[in-house]
mmCIF file of all heavy atoms in Angstrom:
data_model
loop_
_atom_site.group_PDB
_atom_site.id
_atom_site.type_symbol
_atom_site.label_atom_id
_atom_site.label_comp_id
_atom_site.label_asym_id
_atom_site.label_seq_id
_atom_site.Cartn_x
_atom_site.Cartn_y
_atom_site.Cartn_z
ATOM 1 N N THR Z 1 5.834 -9.223 6.868
ATOM 2 C CA THR Z 1 6.807 -9.639 5.849
ATOM 3 C C THR Z 1 7.654 -10.772 6.327
ATOM 4 O O THR Z 1 8.352 -11.418 5.530
ATOM 5 C CB THR Z 1 7.745 -8.466 5.507
ATOM 6 O OG1 THR Z 1 8.421 -8.098 6.629
ATOM 7 C CG2 THR Z 1 6.924 -7.297 4.949
ATOM 8 N N GLY Z 2 7.724 -11.021 7.637
ATOM 9 C CA GLY Z 2 8.620 -12.067 8.185
ATOM 10 C C GLY Z 2 9.953 -11.510 8.504
ATOM 11 O O GLY Z 2 10.845 -12.280 8.901
ATOM 12 N N PHE Z 3 10.159 -10.234 8.294
ATOM 13 C CA PHE Z 3 11.420 -9.564 8.615
ATOM 14 C C PHE Z 3 11.076 -8.333 9.455
ATOM 15 O O PHE Z 3 10.270 -7.501 9.036
ATOM 16 C CB PHE Z 3 12.055 -9.171 7.262
ATOM 17 C CG PHE Z 3 13.399 -8.439 7.381
ATOM 18 C CD1 PHE Z 3 14.406 -9.004 8.148
ATOM 19 C CD2 PHE Z 3 13.606 -7.333 6.682
ATOM 20 C CE1 PHE Z 3 15.645 -8.391 8.208
ATOM 21 C CE2 PHE Z 3 14.864 -6.628 6.762
ATOM 22 C CZ PHE Z 3 15.869 -7.206 7.555
ATOM 23 N N THR Z 4 11.717 -8.231 10.600
ATOM 24 C CA THR Z 4 11.353 -7.106 11.563
ATOM 25 C C THR Z 4 11.748 -5.739 11.059
ATOM 26 O O THR Z 4 11.308 -4.742 11.622
ATOM 27 C CB THR Z 4 11.978 -7.355 12.901
ATOM 28 O OG1 THR Z 4 13.423 -7.393 12.714
ATOM 29 C CG2 THR Z 4 11.508 -8.617 13.580
ATOM 30 N N LYS Z 5 12.506 -5.646 9.972
ATOM 31 C CA LYS Z 5 12.935 -4.342 9.497
ATOM 32 C C LYS Z 5 12.194 -3.919 8.193
ATOM 33 O O LYS Z 5 12.552 -2.958 7.566
ATOM 34 C CB LYS Z 5 14.406 -4.417 9.178
ATOM 35 C CG LYS Z 5 15.304 -4.562 10.473
ATOM 36 C CD LYS Z 5 16.781 -4.517 10.131
ATOM 37 C CE LYS Z 5 17.581 -4.727 11.400
ATOM 38 N NZ LYS Z 5 19.006 -4.676 11.096
ATOM 39 N N SER Z 6 11.133 -4.591 7.867
ATOM 40 C CA SER Z 6 10.294 -4.188 6.719
ATOM 41 C C SER Z 6 8.846 -4.348 7.008
ATOM 42 O O SER Z 6 8.431 -5.055 7.905
ATOM 43 C CB SER Z 6 10.720 -5.007 5.434
ATOM 44 O OG SER Z 6 10.345 -6.349 5.623
ATOM 45 N N ILE Z 7 8.069 -3.652 6.180
ATOM 46 C CA ILE Z 7 6.562 -3.747 6.333
ATOM 47 C C ILE Z 7 5.999 -3.915 4.874
ATOM 48 O O ILE Z 7 6.703 -3.590 3.917
ATOM 49 C CB ILE Z 7 5.952 -2.492 6.947
ATOM 50 C CG1 ILE Z 7 6.392 -1.278 6.143
ATOM 51 C CG2 ILE Z 7 6.354 -2.387 8.425
ATOM 52 C CD1 ILE Z 7 5.614 -0.023 6.510
ATOM 53 N N GLN Z 8 4.834 -4.393 4.834
ATOM 54 C CA GLN Z 8 4.070 -4.444 3.568
ATOM 55 C C GLN Z 8 2.961 -3.363 3.654
ATOM 56 O O GLN Z 8 2.238 -3.285 4.631
ATOM 57 C CB GLN Z 8 3.439 -5.747 3.303
ATOM 58 C CG GLN Z 8 2.701 -5.780 1.985
ATOM 59 C CD GLN Z 8 1.942 -7.057 1.768
ATOM 60 O OE1 GLN Z 8 0.922 -7.253 2.443
ATOM 61 N NE2 GLN Z 8 2.453 -7.942 0.878
ATOM 62 N N MET Z 9 2.982 -2.472 2.680
ATOM 63 C CA MET Z 9 1.949 -1.537 2.509
ATOM 64 C C MET Z 9 1.036 -1.970 1.365
ATOM 65 O O MET Z 9 1.505 -2.491 0.325
ATOM 66 C CB MET Z 9 2.431 -0.141 2.157
ATOM 67 C CG MET Z 9 3.136 0.538 3.260
ATOM 68 S SD MET Z 9 3.661 2.232 2.797
ATOM 69 C CE MET Z 9 4.424 2.815 4.233
ATOM 70 N N VAL Z 10 -0.306 -1.898 1.568
ATOM 71 C CA VAL Z 10 -1.329 -2.211 0.553
ATOM 72 C C VAL Z 10 -2.010 -0.887 0.203
ATOM 73 O O VAL Z 10 -2.343 -0.107 1.061
ATOM 74 C CB VAL Z 10 -2.303 -3.301 1.034
ATOM 75 C CG1 VAL Z 10 -3.362 -3.538 -0.032
ATOM 76 C CG2 VAL Z 10 -1.509 -4.551 1.349
ATOM 77 N N GLN Z 11 -2.164 -0.717 -1.110
ATOM 78 C CA GLN Z 11 -2.909 0.483 -1.518
ATOM 79 C C GLN Z 11 -4.025 0.072 -2.457
ATOM 80 O O GLN Z 11 -3.834 -0.888 -3.251
ATOM 81 C CB GLN Z 11 -1.930 1.456 -2.184
ATOM 82 C CG GLN Z 11 -0.888 1.973 -1.203
ATOM 83 C CD GLN Z 11 0.025 2.919 -1.837
ATOM 84 O OE1 GLN Z 11 1.132 2.511 -2.263
ATOM 85 N NE2 GLN Z 11 -0.354 4.202 -1.959
ATOM 86 N N HIS Z 12 -5.153 0.709 -2.386
ATOM 87 C CA HIS Z 12 -6.241 0.502 -3.275
ATOM 88 C C HIS Z 12 -6.516 1.765 -4.017
ATOM 89 O O HIS Z 12 -6.512 2.862 -3.429
ATOM 90 C CB HIS Z 12 -7.484 -0.020 -2.528
ATOM 91 C CG HIS Z 12 -7.277 -1.339 -1.946
ATOM 92 N ND1 HIS Z 12 -6.997 -1.543 -0.634
ATOM 93 C CD2 HIS Z 12 -7.261 -2.558 -2.505
ATOM 94 C CE1 HIS Z 12 -6.870 -2.837 -0.378
ATOM 95 N NE2 HIS Z 12 -7.025 -3.508 -1.508
ATOM 96 N N ILE Z 13 -6.820 1.654 -5.295
ATOM 97 C CA ILE Z 13 -7.089 2.797 -6.169
ATOM 98 C C ILE Z 13 -8.600 2.641 -6.554
ATOM 99 O O ILE Z 13 -8.984 1.631 -7.174
ATOM 100 C CB ILE Z 13 -6.187 2.843 -7.437
ATOM 101 C CG1 ILE Z 13 -4.741 2.924 -6.982
ATOM 102 C CG2 ILE Z 13 -6.561 4.011 -8.318
ATOM 103 C CD1 ILE Z 13 -3.732 2.742 -8.132
ATOM 104 N N TYR Z 14 -9.369 3.621 -6.104
ATOM 105 C CA TYR Z 14 -10.802 3.595 -6.347
ATOM 106 C C TYR Z 14 -11.191 4.682 -7.397
ATOM 107 O O TYR Z 14 -10.673 5.838 -7.298
ATOM 108 C CB TYR Z 14 -11.589 3.818 -5.083
ATOM 109 C CG TYR Z 14 -11.443 2.758 -4.046
ATOM 110 C CD1 TYR Z 14 -10.483 2.953 -3.023
ATOM 111 C CD2 TYR Z 14 -12.150 1.596 -4.058
ATOM 112 C CE1 TYR Z 14 -10.286 1.927 -2.077
ATOM 113 C CE2 TYR Z 14 -11.977 0.588 -3.124
ATOM 114 C CZ TYR Z 14 -11.064 0.791 -2.142
ATOM 115 O OH TYR Z 14 -10.890 -0.161 -1.143
ATOM 116 N N LYS Z 15 -12.035 4.300 -8.279
ATOM 117 C CA LYS Z 15 -12.632 5.288 -9.244
ATOM 118 C C LYS Z 15 -13.605 6.178 -8.429
ATOM 119 O O LYS Z 15 -13.993 5.825 -7.268
ATOM 120 C CB LYS Z 15 -13.310 4.589 -10.378
ATOM 121 C CG LYS Z 15 -12.343 3.831 -11.270
ATOM 122 C CD LYS Z 15 -13.012 2.906 -12.222
ATOM 123 C CE LYS Z 15 -13.674 3.564 -13.337
ATOM 124 N NZ LYS Z 15 -12.842 4.046 -14.472
ATOM 125 N N ASN Z 16 -14.016 7.333 -9.020
ATOM 126 C CA ASN Z 16 -14.917 8.244 -8.361
ATOM 127 C C ASN Z 16 -16.241 7.635 -7.891
ATOM 128 O O ASN Z 16 -16.787 8.045 -6.868
ATOM 129 C CB ASN Z 16 -15.175 9.447 -9.287
ATOM 130 C CG ASN Z 16 -15.600 10.699 -8.510
ATOM 131 O OD1 ASN Z 16 -15.156 10.872 -7.358
ATOM 132 N ND2 ASN Z 16 -16.409 11.504 -9.137
ATOM 133 N N ASP Z 17 -16.695 6.568 -8.585
ATOM 134 C CA ASP Z 17 -17.958 5.921 -8.163
ATOM 135 C C ASP Z 17 -17.778 4.908 -7.088
ATOM 136 O O ASP Z 17 -18.721 4.175 -6.725
ATOM 137 C CB ASP Z 17 -18.665 5.352 -9.398
ATOM 138 C CG ASP Z 17 -17.870 4.202 -10.044
ATOM 139 O OD1 ASP Z 17 -16.754 3.841 -9.577
ATOM 140 O OD2 ASP Z 17 -18.341 3.681 -11.099
ATOM 141 N N GLY Z 18 -16.475 4.790 -6.573
ATOM 142 C CA GLY Z 18 -16.190 3.780 -5.518
ATOM 143 C C GLY Z 18 -15.771 2.442 -6.050
ATOM 144 O O GLY Z 18 -15.387 1.535 -5.248
ATOM 145 N N GLU Z 19 -15.727 2.242 -7.327
ATOM 146 C CA GLU Z 19 -15.309 0.960 -7.924
ATOM 147 C C GLU Z 19 -13.870 0.800 -7.825
ATOM 148 O O GLU Z 19 -13.060 1.753 -8.086
ATOM 149 C CB GLU Z 19 -15.748 0.918 -9.433
ATOM 150 C CG GLU Z 19 -15.473 -0.388 -10.060
ATOM 151 C CD GLU Z 19 -16.052 -0.458 -11.493
ATOM 152 O OE1 GLU Z 19 -16.207 0.630 -12.143
ATOM 153 O OE2 GLU Z 19 -16.262 -1.579 -11.980
ATOM 154 N N LEU Z 20 -13.403 -0.355 -7.435
ATOM 155 C CA LEU Z 20 -11.964 -0.665 -7.295
ATOM 156 C C LEU Z 20 -11.334 -0.721 -8.688
ATOM 157 O O LEU Z 20 -11.738 -1.533 -9.487
ATOM 158 C CB LEU Z 20 -11.736 -1.977 -6.501
ATOM 159 C CG LEU Z 20 -10.314 -2.406 -6.323
ATOM 160 C CD1 LEU Z 20 -9.561 -1.358 -5.385
ATOM 161 C CD2 LEU Z 20 -10.234 -3.786 -5.655
ATOM 162 N N ALA Z 21 -10.320 0.075 -8.931
ATOM 163 C CA ALA Z 21 -9.622 0.093 -10.212
ATOM 164 C C ALA Z 21 -8.341 -0.770 -10.141
ATOM 165 O O ALA Z 21 -7.993 -1.381 -11.198
ATOM 166 C CB ALA Z 21 -9.272 1.490 -10.613
ATOM 167 N N ALA Z 22 -7.688 -0.785 -8.983
ATOM 168 C CA ALA Z 22 -6.411 -1.541 -8.857
ATOM 169 C C ALA Z 22 -6.082 -1.689 -7.420
ATOM 170 O O ALA Z 22 -6.488 -0.916 -6.549
ATOM 171 C CB ALA Z 22 -5.291 -0.868 -9.581
ATOM 172 N N SER Z 23 -5.296 -2.767 -7.146
ATOM 173 C CA SER Z 23 -4.697 -2.972 -5.838
ATOM 174 C C SER Z 23 -3.209 -3.055 -6.013
ATOM 175 O O SER Z 23 -2.678 -3.631 -6.967
ATOM 176 C CB SER Z 23 -5.198 -4.299 -5.203
ATOM 177 O OG SER Z 23 -6.601 -4.263 -5.009
ATOM 178 N N HIS Z 24 -2.485 -2.467 -5.084
ATOM 179 C CA HIS Z 24 -1.018 -2.304 -5.204
ATOM 180 C C HIS Z 24 -0.404 -2.723 -3.872
ATOM 181 O O HIS Z 24 -0.862 -2.263 -2.795
ATOM 182 C CB HIS Z 24 -0.693 -0.834 -5.499
ATOM 183 C CG HIS Z 24 0.726 -0.530 -5.777
ATOM 184 N ND1 HIS Z 24 1.225 -0.706 -7.027
ATOM 185 C CD2 HIS Z 24 1.695 -0.069 -4.994
ATOM 186 C CE1 HIS Z 24 2.530 -0.369 -6.973
ATOM 187 N NE2 HIS Z 24 2.838 -0.012 -5.735
ATOM 188 N N LYS Z 25 0.576 -3.581 -3.916
ATOM 189 C CA LYS Z 25 1.328 -3.974 -2.711
ATOM 190 C C LYS Z 25 2.793 -3.676 -2.859
ATOM 191 O O LYS Z 25 3.331 -3.825 -3.941
ATOM 192 C CB LYS Z 25 1.245 -5.530 -2.521
ATOM 193 C CG LYS Z 25 -0.047 -6.068 -2.073
ATOM 194 C CD LYS Z 25 0.063 -7.590 -1.871
ATOM 195 C CE LYS Z 25 -1.193 -8.253 -1.472
ATOM 196 N NZ LYS Z 25 -0.991 -9.686 -1.311
ATOM 197 N N CYS Z 26 3.426 -3.290 -1.745
ATOM 198 C CA CYS Z 26 4.848 -3.062 -1.790
ATOM 199 C C CYS Z 26 5.406 -3.400 -0.440
ATOM 200 O O CYS Z 26 4.741 -3.327 0.634
ATOM 201 C CB CYS Z 26 5.229 -1.679 -2.217
ATOM 202 S SG CYS Z 26 4.645 -0.344 -1.092
ATOM 203 N N VAL Z 27 6.684 -3.809 -0.433
ATOM 204 C CA VAL Z 27 7.466 -4.072 0.779
ATOM 205 C C VAL Z 27 8.476 -2.959 0.909
ATOM 206 O O VAL Z 27 9.256 -2.660 -0.003
ATOM 207 C CB VAL Z 27 8.112 -5.435 0.766
ATOM 208 C CG1 VAL Z 27 8.982 -5.649 1.995
ATOM 209 C CG2 VAL Z 27 7.074 -6.575 0.631
ATOM 210 N N VAL Z 28 8.446 -2.278 2.125
ATOM 211 C CA VAL Z 28 9.263 -1.066 2.355
ATOM 212 C C VAL Z 28 10.084 -1.284 3.573
ATOM 213 O O VAL Z 28 9.652 -1.879 4.579
ATOM 214 C CB VAL Z 28 8.337 0.194 2.536
ATOM 215 C CG1 VAL Z 28 9.112 1.382 2.763
ATOM 216 C CG2 VAL Z 28 7.337 0.297 1.381
ATOM 217 N N ALA Z 29 11.303 -0.782 3.534
ATOM 218 C CA ALA Z 29 12.215 -0.671 4.740
ATOM 219 C C ALA Z 29 12.844 0.666 4.754
ATOM 220 O O ALA Z 29 12.625 1.477 3.832
ATOM 221 C CB ALA Z 29 13.249 -1.802 4.638
ATOM 222 N N TRP Z 30 13.684 0.921 5.723
ATOM 223 C CA TRP Z 30 14.381 2.185 5.813
ATOM 224 C C TRP Z 30 15.871 1.964 5.901
ATOM 225 O O TRP Z 30 16.377 0.989 6.455
ATOM 226 C CB TRP Z 30 13.929 2.955 7.110
ATOM 227 C CG TRP Z 30 12.711 3.778 6.818
ATOM 228 C CD1 TRP Z 30 12.618 5.050 6.590
ATOM 229 C CD2 TRP Z 30 11.357 3.243 6.709
ATOM 230 N NE1 TRP Z 30 11.306 5.397 6.266
ATOM 231 C CE2 TRP Z 30 10.499 4.340 6.376
ATOM 232 C CE3 TRP Z 30 10.777 1.971 6.795
ATOM 233 C CZ2 TRP Z 30 9.157 4.194 6.140
ATOM 234 C CZ3 TRP Z 30 9.418 1.825 6.628
ATOM 235 C CH2 TRP Z 30 8.652 2.896 6.258
ATOM 236 N N MET Z 31 16.599 2.851 5.198
ATOM 237 C CA MET Z 31 18.018 2.728 5.017
ATOM 238 C C MET Z 31 18.777 3.960 5.632
ATOM 239 O O MET Z 31 18.336 5.073 5.494
ATOM 240 C CB MET Z 31 18.371 2.668 3.540
ATOM 241 C CG MET Z 31 19.870 2.609 3.314
ATOM 242 S SD MET Z 31 20.285 2.803 1.543
ATOM 243 C CE MET Z 31 19.749 1.288 0.860
ATOM 244 N N ASP Z 32 19.807 3.641 6.338
ATOM 245 C CA ASP Z 32 20.741 4.681 6.816
ATOM 246 C C ASP Z 32 21.525 5.098 5.527
ATOM 247 O O ASP Z 32 22.235 4.295 4.966
ATOM 248 C CB ASP Z 32 21.717 4.119 7.865
ATOM 249 C CG ASP Z 32 22.692 5.129 8.419
ATOM 250 O OD1 ASP Z 32 23.332 5.841 7.575
ATOM 251 O OD2 ASP Z 32 22.774 5.259 9.610
ATOM 252 N N LEU Z 33 21.345 6.402 5.161
ATOM 253 C CA LEU Z 33 21.933 6.781 3.887
ATOM 254 C C LEU Z 33 23.400 7.031 3.936
ATOM 255 O O LEU Z 33 24.045 7.089 2.890
ATOM 256 C CB LEU Z 33 21.208 8.089 3.425
ATOM 257 C CG LEU Z 33 19.726 7.912 3.219
ATOM 258 C CD1 LEU Z 33 19.051 9.287 2.870
ATOM 259 C CD2 LEU Z 33 19.417 6.941 2.061
ATOM 260 N N CYS Z 34 24.010 7.108 5.163
ATOM 261 C CA CYS Z 34 25.454 7.191 5.276
ATOM 262 C C CYS Z 34 26.061 5.776 5.248
ATOM 263 O O CYS Z 34 27.074 5.548 4.501
ATOM 264 C CB CYS Z 34 25.839 7.908 6.548
ATOM 265 S SG CYS Z 34 25.329 9.669 6.551
ATOM 266 N N LEU Z 35 25.548 4.905 6.023
ATOM 267 C CA LEU Z 35 26.040 3.537 6.139
ATOM 268 C C LEU Z 35 25.635 2.684 4.946
ATOM 269 O O LEU Z 35 26.268 1.547 4.774
ATOM 270 C CB LEU Z 35 25.630 2.870 7.430
ATOM 271 C CG LEU Z 35 26.098 3.503 8.724
ATOM 272 C CD1 LEU Z 35 25.541 2.824 9.934
ATOM 273 C CD2 LEU Z 35 27.647 3.539 8.777
#
């Protein structure tokens, strides 16, 4: 991501026959819930 506190996750959604139905990308980080 270019930021040491985040990552990119990629997900693929496959149909039962193995065919790709969709690709999904997201950028995730973690938060201190008090601060």
Side-chain angles (χ1 to χ4, degrees):
T1 64
F3 181 50
T4 60
K5 294 182 180 181
S6 68
I7 57 167
Q8 182 187 71
M9 290 185 179
V10 175
Q11 295 179 264
H12 294 102
I13 301 171
Y14 296 97
K15 293 168 72 79
N16 201 33
D17 63 3
E19 186 175 24
L20 182 65
S23 298
H24 187 84
K25 286 184 183 180
C26 63
V27 175
V28 181
W30 275 259
M31 177 189 290
D32 181 310
L33 299 175
C34 295
L35 299 175

